[in-house]
Amino acid sequence: MPAPRRLIAPALAAATLLTCAAAVPAAGACRPLPDRYAVSRTEGVLPEGIDVRPDGTMYVSSDGTGALYRGRVTSPQMRPFRADGATARGSSRGIHTDRTGRVFSVGKGRLTVHAPDGRLLDSVDAPNGPLGAPDLNDLVVTPDAVYVTDWANPVVLRASLDGGKVGSLEPWADVRGAFPGFPDRYWLLNGIVADPTGRILLVASNGTEAVWRIDTATREVSRLDLGDTSFGADGMVLHGRNMYAVLNYGAPHGVYIARLDAQLRSGTVVHRVTGDRFDLPTTLARHDCRLYLVNSQNDEPPGTPPYTVTALDDPVCQADG
């Protein structure tokens, strides 16, 4: 992605946040949680993607080496995840898990799937796109498919899921027709999310500074209407009708939250959380009313260890009481 102005990363904080169970807590149910996590202290890691599972297991990918890391929301230090063969592609970006705990990740031109113990279950290479070699950026897992964005080509790719087996990656939606005349090479597709049914996809395009809606039944591509807001998002999370997006180019770095309509066709930005706590954040995850943002340092490789994840309270939960 284009290199925005670098922010100075704060030191790894020892402060903690206090989180309680959503239900009426038993004695001692409240526990302190870190507000910052160290992914790695090895130079050149450059973290990129993140996923937090319902049980609090956290996965982070490395754009710099291709390695994957795993930890818990209760511990400030993450550790390398075995992930057989992940480093062979040299870069890992988007990372997500499915309901069974399988770990899906993409980077360069390859999608890999690992078991929770690190065994490689599937490895699928992407074909060249209309502009040349693929540069896979992010993915979303739906009930019947995996959809993947390509930073280098204005296409969304799809691999079917049949009985747990991942099919071949195929070009599935060419987005250029939704914005005629826009230069092909500047679409720069980033984050991708889906509604729970897998019927609607939202795809971020850093180049067009917009989010695009795709109906998976018809492949119709239309612009998500956010009014006059320029919204060149990187990574995103969709939780109900709330879309959480990380912005890091052309806007103050941080997380922006939009409330969408029931059809996911339009919305309004209702919260912005910015400031020097972030160091070129690339994406985020949401877990138990907390947001977890990756500080990539990818604007000045190899960056300065430790490479971190910043945690903060979800302002939507706070507003809802």
Side-chain angles (χ1 to χ4, degrees), residues 61-304:
S61 62
S62 166
D63 190 24
T65 68
L68 305 182
Y69 294 83
R70 183 166 64 184
R72 300 279 300 175
V73 296
T74 53
S75 173
Q77 181 63 55
M78 303 188 70
R79 300 184 184 281
F81 174 56
R82 170 179 151 185
D84 292 344
T87 58
R89 66 185 167 211
S91 171
S92 294
R93 291 181 176 167
I95 182 169
H96 292 286
T97 60
D98 67 4
R99 293 182 179 179
T100 69
R102 291 185 299 173
V103 182
F104 293 71
S105 60
V106 294
K108 296 291 181 66
R110 181 170 297 168
L111 163 69
T112 58
V113 185
H114 290 89
D117 63 5
R119 289 178 296 113
L120 180 64
L121 300 177
D122 279 298
S123 180
V124 183
D125 288 334
N128 285 352
L131 305 185
D135 190 7
L136 305 183
N137 192 302
D138 201 4
L139 73 150
V140 65
V141 182
T142 72
D144 63 354
V146 181
Y147 295 92
V148 181
T149 57
D150 187 342
W151 172 261
N153 291 278
V155 296
V156 175
L157 299 101
R158 182 184 187 274
S160 64
L161 291 176
D162 185 6
K165 181 66 177 176
V166 181
S168 59
L169 266 176
E170 302 290 345
W172 175 78
D174 189 320
V175 297
R176 290 176 290 182
F179 197 179
F182 189 81
D184 294 355
R185 66 185 181 278
Y186 293 138
W187 271 87
L188 307 176
L189 300 184
N190 285 331
I192 181 170
V193 294
D195 75 334
T197 68
R199 173 65 189 265
I200 302 300
L201 306 179
L202 298 177
V203 179
S205 165
N206 190 252
T208 63
E209 297 189 6
V211 176
W212 299 85
R213 180 188 188 274
I214 305 179
D215 185 316
T216 59
T218 65
R219 306 193 200 187
E220 176 190 3
V221 183
S222 59
R223 186 169 184 158
L224 177 66
D225 182 2
L226 294 172
D228 295 331
T229 302
S230 176
F231 213 83
D234 198 336
M236 302 188 298
V237 165
L238 183 64
H239 182 72
R241 289 167 54 187
N242 295 315
M243 183 180 73
Y244 301 77
V246 169
L247 272 66
N248 53 29
Y249 182 69
H253 295 192
V255 57
Y256 294 64
I257 305 172
R259 179 69 172 171
L260 307 183
D261 68 359
Q263 291 75 41
L264 307 183
R265 293 184 180 276
S266 64
T268 302
V269 176
V270 293
H271 293 284
R272 296 172 175 84
V273 184
T274 61
D276 61 6
R277 76 180 86 181
F278 308 121
D279 193 356
L280 189 62
T282 47
T283 191
L284 77 164
R286 183 187 182 278
H287 179 260
D288 280 354
C289 283
R290 299 181 85 207
L291 305 177
Y292 297 81
L293 274 71
V294 178
N295 295 304
S296 75
Q297 300 190 44
N298 209 11
D299 49 344
E300 291 189 2
T304 304

